Amino acid sequence: MPDTRVGANGKLWIAAIGAAAPADHLQAFPTSWYDVGLLTEDGVTMTEGKETWDEGAWQSFYSTDRGISSRSARVTFTMKEGFRKRNFLFAFGGTITQVPANTTATPPVAAHSLYEPPNPEELGEHQLCVEWFPSSTIKVRRFYPRGLLVDDIDMVLAREGTIKLPITFDVIGSDGVKPFYTRSNDPLWAV
């Protein structure tokens, strides 16, 4: 087997902060986690970044010292099933309640769902796991224990194509908690 990997397909899982995650790469996800369903063919992009600083000296045209001032991690993807209730609430926050029919009202009110946005101060933090399958025998799961959606979400309603929700998930650091970790049975990591 060559030492290359293709992230040809996978799943993206979401849970509330504090929900227990599987302890390995094979355990089933608890019911507190849910699969967001179909994503666009672009899949998932996981980005790790860092901000650095340089310090110079009069005696050198080059930096004499360099360090890292901050690190970041970001996951971006586009949901094709963004109108599923749990996906919609993940993307936008707020609540969806069922309003019963009221046939005696004037005019009569039909049964319907009512979406109300979150309070402005609500951040909407979540956990996220990207799971992918480089082959029929290899599974990789990258967990992000804490993060929130950033950037605008443009929900486009058009004649052609399905409604898609582009998501940008930024990782938030916590004392004593790794910003992300990966579990896998990939033999390349066992070397």
Side-chain angles (χ1 to χ4, degrees), residues 114-125:
L114 172 66
Y115 168 73
E116 295 179 290
N119 292 327
E121 68 276 5
E122 289 181 28
L123 289 176
E125 295 181 8

Side-chain angles (χ1 to χ4, degrees), residues 7 12 42-49 72-77 128-132 140-144 169 180-182:
L12 195 129
D42 297 337
V44 177
T45 300
M46 298 174 284
T47 305
E48 297 174 43
S72 62
R74 170 175 277 186
V75 181
T76 57
F77 55 94
L128 189 138
C129 176
V130 180
E131 178 179 47
W132 70 98
V140 182
R141 288 177 173 170
R142 175 164 286 184
F143 290 90
Y144 298 88
F169 179 89
F180 60 87
Y181 58 94
T182 306

Side-chain angles (χ1 to χ4, degrees), residues 134-155:
S135 75
S136 61
T137 59
I138 298 172
K139 183 185 281 190
V140 182
R141 288 177 173 170
R142 175 164 286 184
F143 290 90
Y144 298 88
R146 184 173 174 227
L148 65 118
L149 304 186
V150 296
D151 294 340
D152 294 339
I153 299 173
D154 296 323
M155 183 172 62

Side-chain angles (χ1 to χ4, degrees), residues 27-112:
Q27 283 184 1
F29 278 86
T31 57
S32 54
W33 287 78
Y34 70 94
D35 175 2
V36 302
L38 296 177
L39 304 178
T40 58
E41 288 185 275
D42 297 337
V44 177
T45 300
M46 298 174 284
T47 305
E48 297 174 43
K50 61 184 165 217
E51 294 288 326
T52 59
W53 55 266
D54 294 332
E55 188 168 318
W58 179 52
Q59 294 84 355
S60 176
F61 286 100
Y62 300 95
S63 296
T64 58
D65 202 357
R66 177 170 286 162
I68 297 172
S69 56
S70 67
R71 292 184 178 271
S72 62
R74 170 175 277 186
V75 181
T76 57
F77 55 94
T78 301
M79 292 190 293
K80 291 184 71 160
E81 297 181 271
F83 248 68
R84 290 165 82 189
K85 182 177 179 179
R86 292 179 84 176
N87 290 349
F88 192 85
L89 293 176
F90 165 70
F92 297 106
T95 59
I96 296 177
T97 54
Q98 300 308 307
V99 178
N102 183 348
T103 57
T104 61
T106 306
V109 175
H112 63 280

